[in-house]
Amino acid sequence: MGKYQRVFLIVLDSLGIGAMPDAKRFGDTGADTLGHISDTVAHLNIPNLQKLGLANLHPLKQVPAVEHPMACCARLFEKSNGKDTMTGHWEMMGIETKKPFKTFTEHGFPPDLIAALEEKTGHKVIGNKSASGTVILDELGEEEIATGHMIVYTSADSVMQICGNEETFDLKELYRCCEIARELTLKDEWRVGRVIARPYVGKKRGEFVRTSNRHDYALKPTGLTALNALKDAGYSCISVGKIYDIFDSEGLTESNKSQSSVHGMEQTIDIAGRVFNGLCFTNLVDFDALWGHRRNPIGYGEEIERFDVKLGELLNVLRKDDLLILTADHGNDPTYTGTDHTRETVPMIAYSPSMKASGILKERDAFHNFAVLGATITENFGVNMPEGSIGESILDLLQ
């Protein structure tokens, strides 16, 4: 039985804190999600993140560092070759991704892939570009209904999204087409992280509404993770938000879908009121999806403030044998060019009411990858990381 009975790992999706040393290779020189948000917004009211030590870890224009931060803080470096959601989360749990997932933001999916998709599904593809899901429905929904063509689009993530009207295209047919797309995009040259079925209803532009019958066809992790090790050892592995999709349910004992990042925090707070022994793994996607990709630093800053309010509520219900870890999976600088993720270091802020250590942790080899998180959590519960995984525990520093 570990020192901490429960670990709450919360991912503030895309909250990077400065360009990685190799950022130039990814076209992200000078990116700094949190720093540039602070430089842009008029206010950043985050008293709970401040007292934990966020401004000690990364200087902020509006938020002074505190003399005695409550948490242990460190800057983590991504070892994997990529800057996407799956790569970052998988590395947290011990997987190093050497071959990055493909994105098709600028030019859409290649002709060979589209031709193969059309041949195997029997539907002509329309769209094939990076777009907002609601915008592309207004643009092409009427054509899809009239012709039986298939709307395909992507985003700044490694994702293929396929739309189908539930009344005319048929939900089962949409799922069949997505299963074909998932099989096609397993090829290395077209390696897409997720295929998403995006069903909708409505008959004309302005009335289209996406339904709750969305279905994600994700890749399973390329190896066993810390989640598998914990579950197999009998510990709870509870997910909140898109963690279920990122790991394709692998290693989880319970999943909770979130309607927003605020809702995700409310779910996490509710879980903190329950009795369990193990991990609660939360992803808060709105930072990334609503503000980072849309290059809106004002909205991003306000989302951080909303998170800070809920963070205060969570801190109030943590038990002495709980460990809270805040981190991120990549950057998405809302002041940067384009709409893509940015290759950045991420924060690690670790706090427990019983923790005596605090402040900025001295760097050692463990801090050069995100897998320090999974390794630390598994060691806490006396569980070995899976063979072939990466990561070095720093549990000894979080006492």
Side-chain angles (χ1 to χ4, degrees):
M1 189 171 292
K3 172 179 173 58
Y4 300 111
Q5 300 303 300
R6 307 187 303 177
V7 178
F8 295 87
L9 176 58
I10 301 177
V11 180
L12 284 65
D13 199 308
S14 83
L15 191 67
I17 56 170
M20 283 269 293
D22 63 356
K24 183 177 180 180
R25 182 165 64 90
F26 292 81
D28 296 328
T29 301
D32 182 354
T33 299
L34 179 59
H36 289 156
I37 290 169
S38 176
D39 290 342
T40 302
V41 300
H43 56 84
L44 194 60
N45 185 26
I46 51 171
N48 294 299
L49 285 167
Q50 180 185 23
K51 69 184 182 182
L52 289 176
L54 180 61
N56 296 66
L57 182 63
H58 192 65
L60 301 173
K61 183 179 70 174
Q62 307 90 336
V63 185
V66 293
E67 186 174 356
H68 299 293
M70 292 169 49
C72 291
C73 304
R75 185 181 297 265
L76 302 183
F77 297 74
E78 186 165 14
K79 185 175 183 180
S80 296
N81 185 16
K83 53 177 180 177
D84 61 83
T85 298
M86 290 173 67
T87 300
H89 283 77
W90 287 5
E91 183 170 314
M92 291 176 202
M93 295 295 111
I95 292 178
E96 179 186 358
T97 300
K98 296 183 179 180
K99 184 172 288 187
F101 297 106
K102 302 286 186 180
T103 56
F104 302 90
T105 308
E106 293 190 10
H107 305 293
F109 298 101
D112 289 352
L113 172 53
I114 294 299
L117 186 59
E118 289 179 333
E119 178 184 357
K120 290 182 178 294
T121 63
H123 295 277
K124 178 183 177 181
V125 167
I126 54 177
N128 190 26
K129 60 183 178 180
S130 179
S132 158
T134 52
V135 171
I136 205 164
L137 285 182
D138 277 343
E139 178 186 348
L140 298 174
E142 291 179 0
E143 180 181 348
E144 187 264 338
I145 291 171
T147 63
H149 297 338
M150 185 167 65
I151 302 170
V152 175
Y153 68 104
T154 188
S155 69
D157 290 318
S158 179
V159 62
M160 173 184 279
Q161 305 193 65
I162 303 179
C163 303
N165 188 289
E166 290 194 7
E167 298 165 339
T168 60
F169 197 93
D170 184 66
L171 192 59
K172 289 183 179 178
E173 176 64 6
L174 176 62
Y175 291 164
R176 182 187 74 87
C177 293
C178 287
E179 289 166 2
I180 291 170
R182 175 69 283 173
E183 186 66 28
L184 287 171
T185 55
L186 292 176
K187 294 183 178 181
D188 281 348
E189 64 267 33
W190 302 330
R191 191 170 184 246
V192 172
R194 283 179 296 155
V195 174
I196 304 177
R198 287 286 198 176
Y200 66 99
V201 293
K203 292 181 169 55
K204 62 181 180 179
R205 183 181 294 110
E207 297 180 357
F208 296 127
V209 178
R210 295 192 291 192
T211 75
S212 60
N213 290 318
R214 163 181 170 162
H215 187 73
D216 289 51
Y217 299 81
L219 287 178
K220 287 194 178 296
T222 53
L224 296 177
T225 71
L227 298 176
N228 298 104
L230 290 167
K231 180 182 178 181
D232 290 348
Y235 291 98
S236 296
C237 289
I238 303 168
S239 74
V240 176
K242 61 191 283 189
I243 298 296
Y244 180 93
D245 294 330
I246 294 168
F247 290 90
D248 197 27
S249 79
E250 287 290 309
L252 299 174
T253 59
E254 176 187 329
S255 64
N256 300 271
K257 289 189 175 182
S258 302
Q259 299 169 358
S260 66
S261 289
V262 168
H263 182 225
M265 282 299 292
E266 290 171 346
Q267 291 171 301
T268 303
I269 293 165
D270 287 342
I271 291 168
R274 292 160 37 184
V275 175
F276 71 94
N277 190 9
L279 171 66
C280 175
F281 195 178
T282 298
N283 174 278
L284 305 177
V285 72
D286 287 353
F287 300 98
D288 186 55
L290 296 185
W291 315 116
H293 286 307
R294 297 181 184 181
R295 295 302 187 245
N296 186 337
I298 306 300
Y300 205 135
E302 291 171 347
E303 191 71 50
I304 297 172
E305 291 183 334
R306 285 190 289 272
F307 166 76
D308 193 83
V309 173
K310 292 300 177 183
L311 173 61
E313 296 177 19
L314 178 59
L315 291 173
N316 286 335
V317 298
L318 287 182
R319 303 169 185 172
K320 288 187 177 181
D321 56 1
D322 288 339
L323 175 64
L324 170 66
I325 304 175
L326 307 178
T327 192
D329 51 345
H330 51 72
N332 200 345
D333 189 336
T335 70
Y336 215 67
T337 57
T339 61
D340 198 3
H341 295 152
T342 42
R343 174 82 167 174
E344 296 185 47
T345 61
V346 303
M348 185 201 73
I349 299 175
Y351 168 75
S352 172
S354 64
M355 187 185 294
K356 296 179 181 178
S358 66
I360 307 301
L361 300 178
K362 292 182 179 179
E363 286 195 16
R364 65 190 199 195
D365 289 345
F367 295 154
H368 289 287
N369 59 68
F370 298 177
V372 61
L373 300 171
T376 298
I377 293 166
T378 51
E379 186 190 7
N380 176 72
F381 292 109
V383 174
N384 293 325
M385 286 287 286
E387 185 177 352
S389 61
I390 64 170
E392 177 188 329
S393 172
I394 58 165
L395 184 64
D396 61 306
L397 301 181
L398 307 182
Q399 305 296 326

